[in-house]
Amino acid sequence: MNPNYPKFLAAGALTLVLLGGSACERTSPSNDNPNNQPRTRAEQDLAELRDWMKDKTDSTGRNDRDTTRRGARIREEFREKTARLDTKLDSLSAKSKAEYKELRRKYENWEARNQQRSAMPLNQETLQRFEEELFGSANALDAQFTATQMRDVYTQFLQNVRARRATWTAADWDYVDEIYSRLNQKKDQVEDQIPGQDKLKIKALQAEYLTLETTKDAKDLAREIKQ
């Protein structure tokens, strides 16, 4: 064996140790320095908020006309994301602070328009027109439905919502929301008599409607962001 071989191995091992130590010294400040970590986290949170808002553009909608319940999921998500950012504002660059301020302004404009529109009374003739489109009769919900009819009524309602929703404006959805609320009131009157399987189907249809409704709010928000 070459007498210098052990020395060569030892020298190589020492070199690896030194290199590894240097690498640790270069990376540890970014992970451990308290001045770096909040800034990195804040910029990441801003990027997540930006991506979340953009994602609403690609989404394909409200329950009743109570503004506190409209787009509940969107509002809750926005509050959670902005609450995190609000605690880290000092860690954002001037450019990022300006972007965050603008995103909040656009969201608040969208929210204010929703509240203003909701405060306007519904036109009864328009309401009857939507009722006819969704149920085939302008006074369909004036009828008394039996428990065994409720599943079919919800099915018809959702079929027509799916078919027509692409052309509806935000104001149109106000009328559809009102009709949906009245339909739920009809169901509540016979809730105890509805068969178990029908109840499950109705819940599934209700969940689908709320998804479509929330997605409509998402699209409205996306349009506000693009302006």
Side-chain angles (χ1 to χ4, degrees), residues 43 46 88-103:
E43 295 291 347
L46 179 61
K88 308 183 184 78
L89 284 181
D90 292 341
S91 301
L92 290 173
S93 66
K95 180 179 179 181
S96 294
K97 285 180 181 178
E99 179 187 3
Y100 178 50
K101 183 178 180 180
E102 181 65 7
L103 288 174

Side-chain angles (χ1 to χ4, degrees), residues 26-42:
R26 286 195 298 269
T27 58
S28 58
S30 63
N31 293 330
D32 299 332
N33 189 330
N35 294 324
N36 291 337
Q37 186 65 22
R39 178 180 176 81
T40 300
R41 184 63 254 177

